[in-house]
Amino acid sequence: SIKLKIRDTRKTYGPVVALESTSLEMREGEFLTLLGPSGSGKSTLLMAIAGLNSPDSGEIWIDGKLATYLPPFQRDIGMVFQNYALFPHMTIFDNIAFPLRMRRVAESEIRTRVERVLNTVQLGHVAGRLPRELSGGQQQRIALARCFVYEPSIILMDEPLGALDKKLRDALQLEIKALHEQLGITVLYVTHDQEEAMVMSDRICLMNNARIEQLGTPDELYFRP
Ligand code: ADP
Ligand code: ADP
């Protein structure tokens, strides 16, 4: 079924056209990557889907509902950014449990779900620590776990591995894929790293100059020997 539908969306900032005639559909459970140079409109498209900016025209449909004018908190969307933004005074366990407690999930269920995602990101042993006691890579793993744990309808990720070194990026790519496969959540991912897009995506959407230039599977877009 169709999870997300963007129809002919345009967004300008004064004289700057950030997004032009943009249309896109994602099916449930798909992992789709927006790939393109800095300034091509990737973040603007993510923010429009999240409800953090308002398009000048066009429509955004989430789960078959017109969402163009819905406030962000009514969209059931999770976001992960480059800077991990954990709650500094809460333990790792409480950080991940937070979105579940907001939704009044039972504590026994919370324990099961938090332990499962902590194991997936290989950090079961840090549950009782505070964020500042973790490395940057570990904190980003926790931010990813916190986003996946409450199983939002769609997860948007804006260069979540951009602040990490190559070795950590490779490890976290695998963990993001493991979380995605374990929970089957629809993921829209942003990167300017072609190799990362190739490894992770069901489909890749090439953006340039505020437009989608090509859309297809990694095999359709790139020759692979
Ligand atoms: P990307 O995420 O691909 O780097 P962006 O969506 O951030 O691209 O930016 C697209 C274009 O819109 C760029 O020219 C950028 O400078 C411009 N832009 C983005 N946000 C703003 C803003 N808040 N005010 C003015 N211009 C913006
Ligand atoms: P990215 O390439 O990851 O989108 P940017 O540095 O382009 O990062 O943008 C970071 C933030 O600054 C975003 O919130 C974006 O909307 C805003 N921004 C980007 N370009 C401009 C601009 N020309 N004027 C004002 N704000 C901008």
Side-chain angles (χ1 to χ4, degrees):
S1 66
I2 299 300
K3 201 71 181 167
L4 174 71
K5 188 166 169 178
I6 314 289
R7 279 187 57 183
D8 203 15
T9 295
R10 176 182 165 88
K11 172 68 181 173
T12 55
Y13 296 101
V16 177
V17 180
L19 212 53
E20 180 76 286
S21 312
T22 298
S23 297
L24 180 67
E25 279 188 10
M26 286 183 71
R27 58 166 202 281
E28 183 160 17
E30 184 172 25
F31 196 113
L32 189 142
T33 298
L34 304 179
L35 175 65
S38 186
S40 57
K42 306 182 299 295
S43 296
T44 300
L45 179 53
L46 276 202
M47 308 252 275
I49 294 165
L52 299 173
N53 70 28
S54 19
D56 304 356
S57 60
E59 292 175 354
I60 293 165
W61 295 76
I62 299 169
D63 283 324
K65 271 196 326 200
L66 185 61
T68 323
Y69 307 108
L70 283 182
F73 63 87
Q74 283 180 20
R75 297 191 186 203
D76 192 22
I77 277 175
M79 291 196 82
V80 182
F81 300 95
Q82 195 166 315
N83 51 335
Y84 358 98
L86 301 176
F87 303 117
H89 58 288
M90 282 186 203
T91 65
I92 296 309
F93 185 95
D94 288 338
N95 259 280
I96 299 175
F98 184 82
L100 297 173
R101 290 187 174 134
M102 292 285 287
R103 289 166 176 76
R104 303 190 188 288
V105 175
E107 280 299 317
S108 58
E109 168 80 8
I110 287 177
R111 197 163 316 117
T112 308
R113 283 165 70 170
V114 172
E115 277 166 12
R116 187 178 60 183
V117 293
L118 269 175
N119 287 334
T120 307
V121 297
Q122 305 181 58
L123 286 175
H125 58 291
V126 305
R129 292 193 208 160
L130 292 171
R132 65 166 178 273
E133 299 173 290
L134 270 52
S135 69
Q138 289 175 325
Q139 289 187 49
Q140 188 61 308
R141 286 183 160 100
I142 300 306
L144 290 163
R146 183 177 62 183
C147 191
F148 275 92
V149 80
Y150 70 96
E151 304 183 16
S153 194
I154 303 170
I155 293 180
L156 308 177
M157 298 194 200
D158 199 349
E159 307 224 21
L161 310 183
L164 308 174
D165 65 36
K166 168 84 174 119
K167 209 173 138 205
L168 263 175
R169 277 209 308 274
D170 290 349
L172 263 84
Q173 283 172 12
L174 296 178
E175 282 162 29
I176 291 172
K177 286 303 284 178
L179 286 165
H180 171 249
E181 272 150 31
Q182 185 179 85
L183 298 166
I185 294 170
T186 310
V187 174
L188 183 53
Y189 192 90
V190 166
T191 185
H192 58 254
D193 181 340
Q194 177 177 323
E195 199 185 314
E196 186 165 295
M198 299 276 287
V199 172
M200 301 188 71
S201 318
D202 295 321
R203 286 191 302 159
I204 297 172
C205 180
L206 285 182
M207 292 195 69
N208 198 17
N209 249 326
R211 289 172 184 275
I212 295 176
E213 287 204 326
Q214 284 189 71
L215 179 61
T217 65
D219 283 319
E220 284 164 353
L221 293 187
Y222 301 98
F223 171 72
R224 289 205 281 193

